[in-house]
Amino acid sequence: MYASTLSQEVLVPPPPRQAGLVWTRPAPTRRDRTALSRDRIVRAAIALADAHGFAAISMRRLAAELDAGTMSLYRHVQDKDELADLMVDEVYAAMVPPEAASSRWAENVRAIARRTRLVMLEHPWFTTLAITRPPIGPNALAYLDSSLSAVRGAGLELPEASRLLGTVTSFVIGVVAAELADSEPRDQAGAGGPAWQETVAPYMRDMMATGRFPSLAQLITQDHDDEDPDDQFEFGLDCLIAGIAARTGRDTRP
């Protein structure tokens, strides 16, 4: 029965796109036989993207995951673009702090950075998608507003607090992008894989032996363990907060 419905839907184009933002249109109240809702569609899309990446999402595949007809989804979400906006905004909801900001601006910055990093790592597709979409959904606005309030504890004016927050966000995005790249599975021949390392090792030894790269050569010969990602993140965060304190003349204490 589902295959028959699907074949009919392939022949029927989606309804004309309505103007305006998804947040300005009320979600449909009519419940069909599958009890679809905008929230349920967005949650299913996020689960699918977490497991397979955002590129794996299509309205047809999402409908199959929900055991619904593809056309049923269009009553709630007009297209994949609109779905992306809703998915990103739903993830922003997890970044909003559960409690009010304290008077300790440095600790507030730490809390923002740590929470944002954890949420981004939980949803690997989010970072790339979020930087291409303006944060104007209700949850994104709540995240930005609460973050600005937390940062203003340093006694900064709003424009300066906004720049500071942008710097913190850029730091977190850079760290998360590197962590996600390191966590990608390596095949034998791919960059970082065993075969690649066997090819690169002799080259690196030869390059270090030229004497052109003394600092790198010394670093490579020294005993050091791969640093834990959490430790690397905290080290960078400490440097960032120290730099903010020096730049703004604000104490990191309460």
Side-chain angles (χ1 to χ4, degrees), residues 105-107 109-110 164 167-168 171 234-253:
W105 74 267
E107 287 308 307
V109 170
R110 290 184 192 279
L164 189 157
T167 301
V168 174
F171 163 72
E234 291 298 328
F235 173 79
L237 189 55
D238 286 344
C239 293
L240 183 63
I241 290 175
I244 292 170
R247 174 69 174 80
T248 61
R250 309 296 177 182
D251 199 332
T252 58
R253 295 172 298 182

Side-chain angles (χ1 to χ4, degrees), residues 209-250:
T210 64
R212 293 165 55 193
F213 314 103
S215 294
L216 282 175
Q218 184 178 357
L219 178 64
I220 290 173
T221 57
Q222 290 177 348
D223 290 333
H224 62 279
D225 297 325
D226 290 336
E227 195 167 2
D228 181 77
D230 292 340
D231 292 338
Q232 291 182 341
F233 176 78
E234 291 298 328
F235 173 79
L237 189 55
D238 286 344
C239 293
L240 183 63
I241 290 175
I244 292 170
R247 174 69 174 80
T248 61
R250 309 296 177 182

Side-chain angles (χ1 to χ4, degrees), residues 122-139:
E122 288 174 1
H123 306 285
W125 52 271
F126 171 83
T127 304
T128 302
L129 205 59
I131 61 178
T132 64
R133 319 191 85 78
I136 58 175
N139 293 322

Side-chain angles (χ1 to χ4, degrees), residues 79-215:
D79 50 32
K80 188 175 177 179
D81 233 22
E82 192 168 273
L83 178 64
D85 287 334
L86 292 168
M87 291 169 64
V88 166
D89 196 61
E90 184 67 20
V91 173
Y92 270 119
M95 297 182 187
V96 178
E99 66 284 330
S102 73
S103 60
R104 303 178 181 183
W105 74 267
E107 287 308 307
N108 290 340
V109 170
R110 290 184 192 279
I112 292 168
R114 289 167 179 164
R115 187 172 52 251
T116 302
R117 170 181 173 241
L118 289 176
V119 173
M120 286 181 172
L121 289 174
E122 288 174 1
H123 306 285
W125 52 271
F126 171 83
T127 304
T128 302
L129 205 59
I131 61 178
T132 64
R133 319 191 85 78
I136 58 175
N139 293 322
L141 295 176
Y143 166 73
L144 293 173
D145 188 76
S146 63
S147 298
L148 281 172
S149 298
V151 171
R152 288 193 78 189
L156 304 176
E157 296 297 326
L158 272 174
E160 192 174 12
S162 178
R163 288 194 294 271
L164 189 157
L165 184 58
T167 301
V168 174
T169 302
S170 297
F171 163 72
V172 175
I173 289 175
V175 170
V176 169
E179 287 188 72
L180 292 176
D182 286 341
S183 68
E184 284 292 318
R186 313 288 189 183
D187 58 33
Q188 282 288 328
W196 181 87
Q197 292 178 9
E198 289 179 10
T199 303
V200 168
Y203 162 78
M204 289 298 292
R205 284 196 298 268
D206 292 343
M207 292 300 288
M208 296 304 106
T210 64
R212 293 165 55 193
F213 314 103
S215 294

